[in-house]
Structure formats: structure tokens, C-alpha cells
Amino acid sequence: MMKSLLAGLIALCATFATAQESDTNKNDSTRQRVLIFGDSTLDGVARRFADYAKENGFSLYSSVWYGASVNDWAWTTELPRLMKSVNPTFVIISLGTNDLGYNDLSARAKAVREIVHEVGNVPFVWIGPISLKVIKKDPGVVAMIRENVGANRFYDSYPLKLARMGDGIHPTFAASATWVDGVARWMTCSHQPLLLNKPMGKAQSFKHNERRTQKYKGKRKSSSTE
């Protein structure tokens, strides 16, 4: 009987250790390869996420495409190439600002669904577009993205009051840092599988891994049904 009880205790300890190891691995950011991509808002957003990467030990690969819309990322080979080369365990998307003011919502919804399709089964969040002074009223782009991404994976940035650079469009780096801090708190409360302890030290030097200019058109997908 004593041997049976001892064997049971050993089995229980082994089960507990396995579960504990599983939980540790889930929250071990050193195992995470994070891909972040999007439009020019990424200049500030990715810069701040680089601070989080340094603080929490995950790797960050940033690809910015200036002037890009959801159509650019959906119907070119850029995203599938990145997904294959980076092989991310988590994806952050900051996209949609250049889609504001357009009314072809059904076509852009199709593009959003294509982006989600390309990300596949990899966990992701989509940081929604910020407001623009030149756009008096959003025709429904924010709601369209949320609907096709899922509310639990969509961060609504539109109501935020962010200090802007001289162009009146792009948030200052300080405002972007505050913006991303809010995103990180939301991600933590949403139980996203990425450790995001707030960086307390000096901001890291930052450079995008890939930069595409506004003139860049990309290679169209051969099977594009745009």
C-alpha cells in the first residue's frame, strides 16, 4: 500500500511539473519571434515595441511600407514572404490609416480577410487606424476592420488624442510610446500570449528591418482575386 501511495505521489508531482513547465514556456518571451508590419505609423509604434522586446526578451522583426493600405499588404507577395522568412510566433499589425476616407468598404473588407488568411494560425493583434484632421468622419473603416479581425484581436486607436509631428499626421515618438503602452495593457488584459512588462529604462535605438517607400508597388499575387 505504501509503495502504491508513493507511486501515486510521484505521478502527481510529475504531472504538476509538466503543467508548470507548460505554463512557463507559454509566458517565456525569449521563445517568441514577433513580426510587426504596417504603414508609416509603424515608425513610432515599432520603435516602442522594440523597447518592450528588449525588456521582455523577445525578438522583433519590423517591416514598414510607407503609404500602404490594406490592399497593398493583401494583394502582394510581401506578407506571405515575411511569414515564411520570419516564421513568427506572434504578429502585430498597425494598418488602416491610409484607408480612411474611402467608401469601398466591401473591397477593403476582402483585403482585411486576405491579410488574416495569410497570418493563418499565428496569434495576432491589429492596431487600428488613428484619426486624421483631413478626414472629418470615418465612413466605417474602423468598424469594418474590427468586424473582419475580431474585437478580441482589434485595438481601436481612433478615439485617441495623440500629439502629432509637424506634418499634423504622424504621432510624435512620445505620443506613440503612450499609444503602445495602452496597447500593451490591453493585450495583457486580453490574455494575448506575449509577456509585455513595461520598459522602465532608456528607449532603445531603433531601425526597421525592412523599409518600403510609398513608390513601391510590390509584386502582385499570381492568384490575386482583388
Side-chain angles (χ1 to χ4, degrees):
M1 183 175 177
M2 183 62 69
K3 289 183 178 180
S4 178
L5 179 61
L6 182 59
L9 287 173
I10 293 174
L12 181 63
C13 290
T15 301
F16 176 76
T18 301
Q20 191 174 45
E21 181 180 4
S22 178
D23 288 341
T24 300
N25 291 344
K26 181 179 178 181
N27 295 316
D28 184 1
S29 281
T30 60
R31 298 172 181 265
Q32 299 279 8
R33 297 181 305 280
V34 180
L35 168 64
I36 186 167
F37 71 88
D39 55 33
S40 58
T41 58
L42 220 60
D43 279 349
V45 169
R47 179 182 296 268
R48 182 55 171 168
F49 268 112
D51 295 337
Y52 277 88
K54 177 68 174 180
E55 178 71 22
N56 295 280
F58 59 84
S59 62
L60 183 73
Y61 192 96
S62 174
S63 180
V64 61
W65 189 346
Y66 296 103
S69 68
V70 294
N71 288 329
D72 294 310
W73 279 103
W75 307 121
T76 65
T77 59
E78 290 299 297
L79 183 51
R81 175 188 60 80
L82 278 172
M83 292 299 295
K84 183 176 181 180
S85 61
V86 178
N87 189 25
T89 59
F90 196 87
V91 174
I92 300 171
I93 305 165
S94 184
L95 191 60
T97 300
N98 294 313
D99 297 276
L100 296 174
Y102 292 92
N103 293 298
D104 55 339
L105 296 182
S106 60
R108 290 175 193 269
K110 189 175 182 179
V112 171
R113 290 193 295 272
E114 179 69 10
I115 291 171
V116 173
H117 171 73
E118 291 292 356
V119 172
N121 294 324
V122 179
F124 76 93
V125 294
W126 188 305
I127 302 173
I130 56 176
S131 61
L132 298 175
K133 288 184 179 180
V134 295
I135 307 296
K136 298 302 181 182
K137 184 179 180 181
D138 168 33
V141 170
V142 174
M144 176 273 291
I145 297 176
R146 181 193 297 110
E147 180 181 346
N148 286 279
V149 168
N152 62 323
R153 297 188 294 196
F154 180 78
Y155 183 85
D156 188 358
S157 307
Y158 201 77
L160 300 180
K161 304 298 182 184
L162 301 171
R164 309 293 172 117
M165 293 184 176
D167 61 8
I169 298 174
H170 298 90
T172 64
F173 288 150
S176 290
T178 301
W179 179 14
V180 171
D181 288 347
V183 175
R185 288 193 297 272
W186 166 78
M187 288 173 64
T188 300
C189 293
S190 300
H191 306 292
Q192 300 293 343
L194 190 64
L195 187 62
L196 291 170
N197 291 325
K198 186 176 180 180
M200 303 306 294
K202 186 178 179 181
Q204 303 296 308
S205 59
F206 174 76
K207 183 178 180 181
H208 293 293
N209 297 91
E210 295 185 5
R211 298 173 73 253
R212 305 297 189 191
T213 68
Q214 194 165 353
K215 293 181 179 180
Y216 183 72
K217 300 303 180 185
K219 181 180 178 181
R220 310 301 288 183
K221 290 179 179 176
S222 58
S223 59
S224 174
T225 56
E226 181 181 359

